[in-house]
């Protein structure tokens, strides 16, 4: 019976399809599958001297958040947590549990959320924190829009578009120099403020441009660690595609209760 369940979980097979293929009724299959969902597998943590993790969270309906700690070398989910958001205290607790098991983390790649970064720095102060380059690029391009009007925004959008082409130290230094020159050239525009009479406060006039520029400036120090160590993932793409397939599969099986959806997710992670 389990092979049918595995097809239902991993290969987007429907109960109708499995009923025809297996010869069991839909009711029988659903009853057995419910039992599997309510008895999720036990996760085994493989002890290793040095881990290169990708840590990220993804969100489902009814306020369900899955936080995953993914071993980028062995390509498996080392640890998970269900929550309602990506909270510093919970992520810190998870990392402390790994540390108590004698697991050392050499580097963590994340999308830049402060909760993850601060937790890693607290528990593993010597670990490298790699900022996901794709997230930086994606956010900057989104804030600047597809067709920016100002020359400053057009130039920054061009620079952001070059990020994924950076492979070595020479390209890194050339890109950083180009960005710093851009920032110096447009500093007045970036920092320009206007007085907002209703609130009596000064606001940045070009908020989207400043937001993009400041984000890059802050991320620069942690975007290029992968160049010095090929084991460090430069993006969270591995988890993004993982989450995408999981959600696509789960969406096919609409109508599952929250507890059944949790069981589905855990079975997916284990398989």
């Amino acid at each position: 019976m389990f092979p049918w369940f595995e097809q239902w979980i991993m290969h987007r097979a429907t109960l109708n399809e499995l009923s025809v293929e297996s010869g069991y009724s839909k009711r029988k299959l659903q009853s057995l599958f419910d039992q599997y969902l309510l008895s999720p597998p036990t996760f085994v943590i493989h002890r290793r001297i040095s881990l290169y993790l990708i840590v990220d969270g993804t969100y489902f309906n009814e306020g369900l958040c899955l936080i995953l700690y993914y071993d980028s070398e062995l390509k498996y989910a080392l640890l998970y947590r269900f929550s309602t958001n990506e909270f510093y205290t919970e992520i810190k607790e998870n990392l402390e549990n790994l540390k108590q098991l004698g697991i050392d983390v050499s580097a963590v790649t994340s999308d830049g959320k402060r909760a993850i970064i601060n937790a890693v720095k607290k528990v593993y102060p010597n670990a490298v924190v790699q900022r996901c380059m794709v997230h930086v690029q994606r956010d900057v391009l989104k804030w600047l829009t597809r067709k920016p009007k100002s020359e400053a925004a057009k130039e920054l959008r061009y620079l952001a578009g070059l990020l994924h082409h950076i492979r070595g130290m020479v390209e890194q230094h050339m890109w950083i120099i180009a960005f710093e020159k851009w920032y110096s050239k447009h500093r007045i525009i970036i920092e320009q403020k206007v007085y907002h009479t209703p609130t009596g406060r000064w606001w940045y006039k070009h908020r989207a441009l400043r937001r993009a520029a400041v984000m890059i400036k802050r991320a620069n120090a942690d975007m290029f660690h992968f160049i010095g160590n090929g084991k460090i993932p430069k993006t969270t793409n591995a988890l993004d595609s993982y989450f995408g397939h999981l959600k696509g599969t789960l969406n096919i099986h609409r109508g599952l209760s929250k507890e059944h959806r949790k069981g589905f997710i855990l079975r997916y992670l284990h398989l």
Side-chain angles (χ1 to χ4, degrees), residues 82 99 136 141:
F82 285 120
K99 195 168 189 176
V136 173
L141 296 180

Side-chain angles (χ1 to χ4, degrees), residues 44-100:
V44 177
I45 296 179
H46 303 289
R47 292 192 180 186
R48 301 178 60 212
I49 296 175
S50 183
L51 289 181
Y52 294 85
L53 293 180
I54 301 175
V55 181
D56 199 5
T58 192
Y59 295 83
F60 301 85
N61 294 334
E62 298 183 48
L64 181 63
C65 173
L66 170 68
I67 303 170
L68 211 56
Y69 302 78
Y70 187 80
D71 186 326
S72 64
E73 290 190 287
L74 294 185
K75 301 188 187 308
Y76 88 108
L78 177 75
L79 186 66
Y80 75 90
R81 182 164 194 151
F82 285 120
S83 185
T84 56
N85 209 326
E86 295 164 77
F87 296 111
Y88 164 78
T89 53
E90 294 181 348
I91 297 170
K92 174 174 165 288
E93 181 181 60
N94 293 339
L95 293 173
E96 286 172 341
N97 289 338
L98 290 179
K99 195 168 189 176
Q100 287 174 8

Side-chain angles (χ1 to χ4, degrees), residues 214-246:
V214 170
M215 181 188 195
I216 292 176
K217 204 166 185 64
R218 290 174 177 172
N220 266 342
D222 293 317
M223 270 201 300
F224 305 104
H225 294 301
F226 71 93
I227 292 175
N229 185 342
K231 292 183 178 180
I232 300 176
K234 69 176 181 179
T235 73
T236 60
N237 281 357
L239 268 191
D240 291 340
S241 59
Y242 193 80
F243 287 150
H245 188 270
L246 166 60

